[in-house]
Amino acid sequence: MKVVVIGAQWGDEGKGKIVDYLANEAQIIVRFSGGANAGHTIVIGNEEYALHLIPSGIFYPDKIVILGAGMVIDPVAFFSELDMLKDRGIDTAGRVFISDRAHVVLPRYIGIDRERDEARKNPIGTTGRGIGITYSMKSERDGIRIADLGWKEKMDGLEKADRDFLAPYAERLLAMSVDLCAYLAHRKNSQVLFEGAQGTLLDLDLGTYPYVSSGMSCAAGAAIGGCVGPRALDKVLGVFKAYSTRVGNGPLPSEFDTGSEDELCRFVRDTGREYGVTTGRPRRCGYLDLVSLRYACLTNSIDSLVMTHLDVYDTLGEIKACIAYRIGDRMVENFPASIEELDRAKPVLRTFPGWKQPLSRALTYEEFPVAAMEYIEFIERFCETSIDIVSVGYDRKETIIRRSPWTR
């Protein structure tokens, strides 16, 4: 069975924790997009790990993890991450592979990335890791793939600085490379978990263009970056937070008002630890945007939703969610493509009663307070998609499974 986990918002939804939790029942975990611009935080007991390139399933000693064809790999970041895991007692030997079709991030791309964003009239707010430039070079057919590292003619044609940079890494990367298509075809009866990066609303085609990432963070990207056909994918899970966040520039229609809702914004940001894993930047915060969440469900054929950070609301007397936009004199219920319209959009809010008790005490969904269940069930009706998993904390054990994703 092949299950896809994607972000259903603007990234940072808690995909890393969910992939780590679900990986217990998988044999292979494939990260299918993005690069070191992503940040997945995993909490196991008293230990916290930040991953940027290596799939979240690495913490189970019997799992294989693969960096897919849709990824862009910074060799320095990759091997530093492997060293970090080794130093902390995680044995990765023989368990980490890279698709030979993945592209390589070169140091000069990082400088170009930062210069281009600074030169823009309206900067996108990239992480400055060279990710966008690497994807651009890929589109222009001037990129370097893992497979190319063994192609002498190709390597001889590179600039000297690029050759010198790649020299100490080439053999190590080639030794870890696999033909991902053939690898998965020979293991067609395995449980495979496909891990996305960023989120639907940062997808190059489906997101708030141009304020998006350069890769495919939608469910369709799992087929391409995972080297399988789309009909081979059995289930799509969309992860979302009980509220909305965004890093960098671009529209966030349900964002908390910077004047009247400063205190609420600070509470959500600090309680939810809403600071970028990769950049450390504080995330912009707002009400749960159900208009965009429903759009994510439709554009990704999401079979079930995974709700995270619901416990952030534990102490509030009431909570709100955005159920439509007011744009000028129009009520808008669908997610617009126009950035100009999204920038003008004002959230139409619905208020729900709070539950005023810690959800982490619950061992099953039936133990949730009624108010929390009513909030969840309203979201299900609005999006016409079931919420099958609810996370109420950072640790693995603080996860409520209503329906297993490993069932057809």
Side-chain angles (χ1 to χ4, degrees):
M1 188 170 180
K2 295 178 175 62
V3 174
V4 180
V5 177
I6 61 163
Q9 294 169 308
W10 283 274
D12 309 307
E13 302 95 346
K15 296 181 296 298
K17 177 200 169 171
I18 300 305
V19 169
D20 170 73
Y21 185 90
L22 297 178
N24 183 46
E25 296 188 54
Q27 284 86 49
I28 302 167
I29 300 90
V30 179
R31 164 99 176 262
F32 64 82
S33 68
N37 56 336
H40 293 169
T41 302
I42 310 296
V43 179
I44 305 171
N46 296 321
E47 295 291 325
E48 184 171 312
Y49 304 85
L51 298 178
H52 302 278
L53 285 165
I54 297 172
S56 302
I58 191 64
F59 298 104
Y60 295 93
D62 59 338
K63 310 302 179 186
I64 297 296
V65 302
I66 305 175
L67 285 69
M71 288 190 68
V72 292
I73 314 298
D74 180 336
V76 176
F78 174 66
F79 286 111
S80 293
E81 203 162 293
L82 283 178
D83 289 342
M84 177 274 291
L85 292 170
K86 181 180 179 181
D87 292 343
R88 298 185 64 178
I90 307 299
D91 183 8
T92 65
R95 297 197 296 120
V96 181
F97 299 98
I98 307 172
S99 167
D100 53 12
R101 288 176 165 83
H103 279 245
V104 179
V105 180
L106 297 175
R108 61 186 174 89
Y109 295 172
I110 297 172
I112 297 170
D113 192 2
R114 293 171 179 168
E115 290 169 7
R116 283 193 182 177
D117 205 44
E118 289 171 2
R120 286 186 172 101
K121 185 176 180 180
N122 297 304
I124 293 170
T126 73
T127 59
R129 299 297 180 100
I131 307 304
I133 302 303
T134 310
Y135 278 117
S136 294
M137 297 296 282
K138 175 180 176 178
S139 296
E140 292 174 10
R141 281 86 70 181
D142 288 321
I144 304 296
R145 302 176 304 161
I146 297 295
D148 299 334
L149 298 175
W151 181 7
K152 186 177 184 304
E153 183 181 355
K154 176 83 169 183
M155 298 300 287
D156 287 347
L158 297 179
E159 296 180 14
K160 183 178 184 303
D162 293 342
R163 291 199 307 274
D164 291 346
F165 168 74
L166 291 170
Y169 298 112
E171 287 189 12
R172 296 173 71 188
L173 290 169
L174 284 169
M176 300 174 76
S177 70
V178 293
D179 178 339
L180 183 53
C181 174
Y183 187 91
L184 293 180
H186 288 129
R187 294 160 180 82
K188 60 183 177 182
N189 294 322
S190 295
Q191 303 269 68
V192 183
L193 193 60
F194 291 89
E195 176 184 19
Q198 286 82 44
T200 294
L201 302 175
L202 294 177
D203 182 82
L204 186 60
D205 293 296
L206 299 178
T208 53
Y209 187 89
Y211 300 99
V212 292
S213 187
S214 299
M216 295 185 70
S217 47
C218 60
I224 298 171
C227 295
V228 297
R231 290 191 294 174
L233 304 174
D234 296 293
K235 190 169 286 188
V236 177
L237 275 61
V239 185
F240 76 103
K241 280 190 284 211
Y243 48 89
S244 298
T245 65
R246 179 166 195 159
V247 173
N249 301 328
L252 183 62
S254 63
E255 188 167 12
F256 295 135
D257 184 88
T258 52
S260 62
E261 295 171 327
D262 269 356
E263 185 176 343
L264 178 59
C265 183
R266 282 195 297 272
F267 170 80
V268 169
R269 181 180 289 146
D270 292 341
T271 307
R273 299 197 289 186
E274 297 297 347
Y275 297 87
V277 178
T278 301
T279 63
R281 289 183 291 184
R283 297 175 184 140
R284 298 157 59 194
C285 300
Y287 299 107
L288 174 61
D289 185 341
L290 291 174
V291 179
S292 65
L293 183 60
R294 181 170 57 193
Y295 168 78
C297 290
L298 292 170
T299 53
N300 291 282
S301 296
I302 290 175
D303 295 291
S304 66
L305 288 163
V306 179
M307 189 180 201
T308 65
H309 289 242
L310 185 58
D311 53 298
V312 169
Y313 281 153
D314 280 353
T315 61
L316 299 185
E318 66 176 31
I319 56 180
K320 298 178 181 180
C322 170
I323 59 171
Y325 305 143
R326 177 75 65 181
I327 303 177
D329 59 357
R330 294 184 297 126
M331 185 79 78
V332 176
E333 297 182 344
N334 296 318
F335 192 70
S338 167
I339 297 301
E340 189 269 338
E341 286 198 342
L342 286 169
D343 282 340
R344 292 171 52 219
K346 303 297 181 185
V348 177
L349 301 174
R350 173 169 174 147
T351 302
F352 301 83
W355 40 91
K356 304 282 284 185
Q357 57 183 289
L359 294 178
S360 59
R361 293 178 182 172
L363 299 177
T364 66
Y365 179 73
E366 288 69 30
E367 294 178 37
F368 275 13
V370 172
M373 290 194 286
E374 288 177 345
Y375 184 52
I376 289 169
E377 288 161 16
F378 178 85
I379 296 167
E380 290 182 312
R381 292 193 300 272
F382 191 96
C383 296
E384 298 182 336
T385 308
S386 64
I387 296 174
D388 291 350
I389 302 174
V390 183
S391 170
V392 292
Y394 293 97
D395 198 89
R396 280 177 181 167
K397 66 178 181 289
E398 296 173 317
T399 310
I400 305 297
I401 305 294
R402 298 176 70 194
R403 299 175 195 85
S404 170
W406 296 108
T407 55
R408 294 184 188 274

